[in-house]
Amino acid sequence: MFKIKETIFVKSVVDQKDRPGPNLPEFAFAGRSNVGKSSLINCLVNRSNFAHVSKSPGKTRTINYYKINNIFYLVDLPGYGFARISKEEKKSWQKMIENYLVRNPLLETVFVLIDSKVGLKDSDLELFEWLHFHAIPFKAILTKSDRVNRNSQEKLISELVAILKSGDRKQIIVFSVKTRQGRDEILADIVRKLEDKPIPGLNS
Ligand code: GDP
C-alpha cells in the first residue's frame, strides 16, 4: 500500500499566476463548507491538525497546496454554498475555482465531497454539471458515513448514481474520518492515476 511519508504545506494562492512549482500531478478536493474537507485531508496525510479544521465555515478563501512525497499535490479548494454570502463574493469564488479547474493539464481528479447526512444540494449539482461539461475527471466522496445508517447511505448513493452521467457506483467513495472507511480507497485511486506516469519513487 502506498505510504505518505512526507507532507509539506507549500502555499495558499488566490491567483493561478502564483501557483507553486515544480509542476506535479494534482488531486483537488472540493465541497460545501463544513462537509469535512479539512478532516479528510488530515486523515489522508495522517496528521491531526494539518489542514485547518474550521470552526467558522467559509473563512478560508484560498487554494491550498500540499505536496506529498514530492510526487503530487493535494489541492484544497475553498468551500462553497454558504447561505450568507454576497453575490460579489460568490462570483469571485467561482472565478477562483474555475481558473484553477479549467485548462489545468496537471489536474488528475477532482474529489467532490458530499456530506452523507446533508445530502445533495443545488450547489453540488451545479458543480457536477460544470465538471461534466468541461470534461474534468471527478469522483464523489460521501463524507461522515458514521453519521448515517446503511439505508440512507444507499439512498444517497442511488440518487447520485442517477445524476452522474456515467451511472457508475465506482465513481463514488464512502468515507468517514471516525472509522477511516474509504481512506485506502481514495489513496488507491490516486496511486492508480499516478501509475501511468513515470514518477521516480512512487512505489518505494
Ligand atoms: P470543512 O469545513 O469542509 O473543512 O469541514 P471540517 O473538516 O472542518 O469538518 C466540519 C465538522 O464535521 C467538524 O466538526 C468535524 O469534526 C466534523 N466531521 C468531519 N468529518 C467527520 C466524520 O467523518 N464523521 C463525523 N462524525 N464528523 C466529522
Side-chain angles (χ1 to χ4, degrees):
M1 185 66 203
F2 176 72
K3 276 207 172 64
I4 292 190
K5 292 179 194 153
E6 187 188 54
T7 308
I8 299 171
F9 167 68
V10 187
K11 73 193 293 199
S12 295
V13 313
V14 172
D15 196 316
Q16 280 302 295
K17 72 172 169 28
D18 301 321
R19 53 182 299 120
N23 284 352
L24 295 171
E26 297 178 6
F27 296 86
F29 293 81
R32 290 168 56 82
S33 165
N34 215 39
V35 70
K37 188 156 49 64
S38 312
S39 305
L40 180 144
I41 292 173
N42 285 332
C43 175
L44 284 183
V45 302
N46 277 327
R47 300 277 191 90
S48 55
N49 58 354
F50 211 70
H52 178 63
V53 179
S54 59
K55 290 289 158 256
S56 47
K59 244 192 147 190
T60 335
R61 300 287 169 77
T62 54
I63 295 178
N64 306 320
Y65 288 79
Y66 302 92
K67 191 161 65 174
I68 310 297
N69 294 8
N70 223 10
I71 53 179
F72 66 91
Y73 292 108
L74 293 183
V75 182
D76 181 7
L77 301 176
Y80 54 82
F82 329 104
R84 271 170 259 104
I85 181 173
S86 68
K87 267 199 177 137
E88 203 73 356
E89 275 179 295
K90 189 174 176 199
K91 255 195 181 156
S92 83
W93 179 89
Q94 276 176 335
K95 204 156 185 60
M96 186 181 1
I97 301 289
E98 288 179 10
N99 284 342
Y100 170 77
L101 293 173
V102 177
R103 287 183 295 278
N104 180 352
L106 296 168
L107 180 60
E108 292 292 334
T109 304
V110 183
F111 292 101
V112 180
L113 278 55
I114 309 289
D115 189 324
S116 302
K117 188 103 182 167
V118 174
L120 290 161
K121 296 286 176 187
D122 286 348
S123 47
D124 303 315
L125 301 179
E126 277 169 30
L127 180 59
F128 286 133
E129 271 295 323
W130 193 86
L131 291 169
H132 186 75
F133 178 79
H134 289 279
I136 297 169
F138 66 90
K139 286 217 164 183
I141 299 180
L142 306 183
T143 62
K144 310 186 193 180
S145 67
D146 59 283
R147 295 193 65 204
V148 293
N149 63 30
R150 218 188 146 79
N151 271 355
S152 45
Q153 190 70 271
E154 279 303 315
K155 205 171 148 231
L156 179 56
I157 291 173
S158 308
E159 216 180 310
L160 199 48
V161 166
I163 64 144
L164 297 178
K165 309 274 193 277
S166 71
D168 188 353
R169 272 180 97 102
K170 289 204 198 93
Q171 214 179 343
I172 303 167
I173 298 173
V174 176
F175 178 81
S176 162
V177 164
K178 292 256 160 86
T179 63
R180 292 167 78 87
Q181 177 189 15
R183 179 181 181 273
D184 287 351
E185 207 180 325
I186 298 169
L187 288 176
D189 210 79
I190 291 174
V191 170
R192 211 172 301 125
K193 287 264 180 149
L194 292 172
E195 269 168 357
D196 300 336
K197 298 172 188 300
I199 299 167
L202 174 62
N203 295 311
S204 57

